[in-house]
Amino acid sequence: MSARPIRSVTEILGLLSRGRFAERLDEELEKCITALENLPEEKGTASIDITLTLNFQSGRLDIRPKVNGKPPKEKAFSDTPFWTLDGALSVQHPSQIDMFAGPRDATAPREREAV
């Protein structure tokens, strides 16, 4: 009886590490899909990289699999503007500081008459 040659990558993937590698691929796929579905903008990209390292010696071929899942990147935080004020930071623009200096009299007469 002779051994049956395997010439299909999909068959090899199912045999690697007694099937545990294929299970790991399924887990990475599920993680990436879940991460994509949970994106706030409902838009993104994920990838799964598979590396098969083949080592041949004296008629024997060893295959070492590796999987690297890359879920979508989280949206970065947006910029928060600060202005420098007396050697420190302020969230108020320097030209607006006078606006908030104190209470104003809302009952004061207008300086300009309506046309």
Side-chain angles (χ1 to χ4, degrees):
M1 179 188 275
S2 64
R4 180 181 65 84
I6 301 170
R7 301 191 198 289
S8 166
V9 172
T10 54
E11 189 175 352
I12 289 172
L13 289 176
L15 295 170
L16 294 172
S17 298
R18 298 182 185 223
R20 290 190 309 271
F21 183 67
E23 291 172 3
R24 178 75 168 87
L25 288 174
D26 292 341
E27 291 169 6
E28 281 301 317
L29 180 60
E30 185 178 346
K31 285 180 192 176
C32 287
I33 290 172
T34 300
L36 288 167
E37 289 177 333
N38 291 325
L39 287 174
E41 288 105 24
E42 297 182 353
K43 180 180 174 183
T45 303
S47 67
I48 300 172
D49 298 329
I50 300 169
T51 303
L52 302 177
T53 302
L54 288 68
N55 185 19
F56 184 79
Q57 183 175 0
S58 302
R60 175 179 159 170
L61 180 69
D62 292 328
I63 301 176
R64 178 174 300 250
K66 180 180 176 186
V67 61
N68 185 20
K70 297 177 186 174
K73 293 185 179 188
E74 293 182 15
K75 186 176 177 183
F77 291 104
S78 61
D79 293 346
T80 303
F82 291 93
W83 288 268
T84 55
L85 180 66
D86 298 328
L89 298 176
S90 173
V91 293
Q92 287 182 324
H93 191 281
S95 67
Q96 294 177 343
I97 292 175
D98 294 27
M99 265 183 3
F100 304 104
R104 294 182 180 181
D105 186 0
T107 60
R110 294 182 176 218
E111 294 178 20
R112 207 178 88 184
E113 291 183 23
V115 180

